[in-house]
Amino acid sequence: MDLESLRFTYLRRVVGTALGVLGLDAADRLARSMARAVHGLNTPMRRRAETRLSDALPDNCSTATASRIIAAMYEHVGRFCVEALFARRLLREASWRNSIALENEASLTALAAGGRGCLLTTAYLGNPAVAAYALGEIFHPVHVVADRFAHPVLRAWQDELVAYRNVRIVDRREATTSLPSILNRGGAVLMIGEHERRRGPCISVPFLGRTLRCYPTLARLARWHELPIAVVTCVREARPFTFRLQTHSTIAPPRDEASDAGLMEAIIGALEHAILRSPEQYLWSLAGGTANSVAPEWVAKSGAEPIGTESGSASCPTRSRTASVWQTPSAAGKAPADRASPTAPVPTA
């Protein structure tokens, strides 16, 4: 375990546990302070984060802006570690809405009420564990596909998930047999959209200035079961342990296999846009994607919000993407195929 991992493990398990009895505000302040100290170590994780961010941001964004974003990212990582300690106390059936504001809630409740099943995807932005909790309370339950990661923050995220009564963990190694059955029963499945496949069949899409090798699972499940994909994120607000769950779009799949790549590009494009609206809350220290040999073109997106941090903001344009022909304002669509018929395993290999 490297020095940065040790610092965050110490923050989460020792310091955070001790401050749990003193209150959320004190723990949040100390978490930010310790995270700033970790940032000052200039570890390989920090340098990887800076490299990934430089690939994603347009050329006219200054070095000072990028530095502020990465410094703010470390503070958000520290806050995440403390949030895991208070989650069981604050996320309860009767009071969870005091901490989580839902935007476009009607689109999620419509999916849940339809009884068809649905696919949801999010990114390592804000607090994905809180997103899973809120979605579990809406869909009763939500099934989350997860791996075991070496990254200390991701381990905390996965450990937190098992505490929620309406969140069911599906190990990625068992996904090929579990997910078709869950969807056939009308269940909801949440997957991390930008999780990358190092070997085997993949769909390559542009993502944050790089090329990402995506698993084909999400697109193929949507097409085979004729289910919509809801793109959601859960960003952190300024006040400790307050969040905003956003539904960015609901995407209906095409019928033909040749369009899987276009479907994944629409999904990843929606996540990319959400990340660039709150870049300080994205986990840039994750390894991901292959640097493009040609720099991406950046244009100002009409109506896009400026990239900002808690310590300042900078008006950097976001990358332009062509809107997907499958993006729809609601979950309306044809009923899924006959659920009594046998379903082939999900092709992830």
Side-chain angles (χ1 to χ4, degrees):
M1 182 178 290
D2 58 56
L3 183 57
E4 179 165 340
S5 299
L6 284 171
R7 287 286 186 97
F8 277 122
T9 299
Y10 179 75
L11 169 63
R12 182 165 59 95
R13 295 183 178 177
V14 181
V15 177
T17 301
L19 284 182
V21 300
L22 299 179
L24 175 62
D25 289 343
D28 185 78
R29 287 193 297 270
L30 183 59
R32 293 185 187 212
S33 176
M34 289 196 65
R36 287 193 294 269
V38 175
H39 173 264
L41 295 174
N42 194 23
T43 63
M45 281 190 184
R46 172 182 164 181
R47 293 192 291 273
R48 181 166 54 211
E50 291 170 343
T51 299
R52 285 202 65 194
L53 181 63
S54 67
D55 290 339
L57 292 182
D59 292 338
N60 64 345
C61 279
S62 67
T63 302
T65 296
S67 296
R68 285 198 300 270
I69 291 173
I70 295 302
M73 180 204 80
Y74 272 79
E75 290 196 26
H76 280 281
V77 170
R79 297 181 69 184
F80 175 88
C81 293
V82 170
E83 287 160 2
L85 300 168
F86 288 85
R88 297 188 194 186
R89 187 186 313 176
L90 298 176
L91 295 180
R92 298 180 181 273
E93 183 178 5
S95 60
W96 65 272
R97 287 178 179 269
N98 295 334
S99 298
I100 309 171
L102 274 62
E103 293 188 6
N104 302 321
E105 182 177 359
S107 61
L108 292 176
T109 55
L111 289 173
R116 296 177 50 198
C118 77
L119 293 159
L120 306 124
T121 186
T122 190
Y124 291 119
L125 176 72
N127 194 320
V130 172
Y133 177 90
L135 293 170
E137 293 299 306
I138 293 170
F139 288 93
H140 295 98
V142 66
H143 298 80
V144 181
V145 180
D147 278 333
R148 295 300 297 177
F149 293 97
H151 198 291
V153 179
L154 298 191
R155 285 203 303 271
W157 170 62
Q158 291 164 354
D159 292 343
E160 186 180 346
L161 287 177
V162 300
Y164 302 148
R165 61 188 176 88
N166 280 321
V167 176
R168 312 284 169 79
I169 303 300
V170 177
D171 191 288
R172 186 173 290 275
R173 293 168 297 183
E174 301 171 357
T176 55
T177 55
S178 299
L179 296 188
S181 176
I182 291 169
L183 294 172
N184 278 338
R185 297 196 305 269
V189 173
L190 173 65
M191 303 175 69
I192 295 292
E194 81 270 35
H195 188 71
E196 190 170 29
R197 183 163 205 171
R198 297 298 181 183
R199 299 180 181 84
C202 69
I203 298 175
S204 296
V205 299
F207 178 62
L208 297 174
R210 295 186 166 207
T211 299
L212 191 69
R213 292 171 49 89
C214 296
Y215 280 83
T217 309
L218 189 59
R220 293 181 182 177
L221 282 172
R223 184 168 50 82
W224 287 357
H225 293 265
E226 297 184 15
L227 294 176
I229 302 168
V231 180
V232 300
T233 60
C234 185
V235 294
R236 185 176 292 104
E237 301 281 34
R239 187 162 56 89
F241 211 90
T242 56
F243 308 91
R244 185 171 72 258
L245 182 72
Q246 298 174 292
T247 305
H248 298 278
S249 60
T250 302
I251 304 172
R255 291 183 175 274
D256 59 308
E257 182 177 354
S259 297
D260 283 352
L263 177 58
M264 285 306 302
E265 184 168 353
I267 294 166
I268 297 301
L271 290 174
E272 179 184 80
H273 181 64
I275 291 166
L276 291 176
R277 289 166 68 98
S278 303
E280 71 283 356
Q281 297 199 34
Y282 186 63
L283 195 59
W284 296 99
S285 56
L286 280 175
T290 302
N292 294 332
S293 57
V294 179
E297 295 181 3
W298 296 88
V299 296
K301 189 175 182 66
S302 177
E305 294 181 358
I307 293 175
T309 68
E310 294 183 0
S311 58
S313 63
S315 297
C316 295
T318 58
R319 186 178 182 180
S320 174
R321 279 186 183 268
T322 303
S324 166
V325 296
W326 305 299
Q327 186 166 326
T328 58
S330 69
K334 291 187 177 182
D338 182 7
R339 298 190 185 279
S341 61
T343 304
V346 181
T348 59

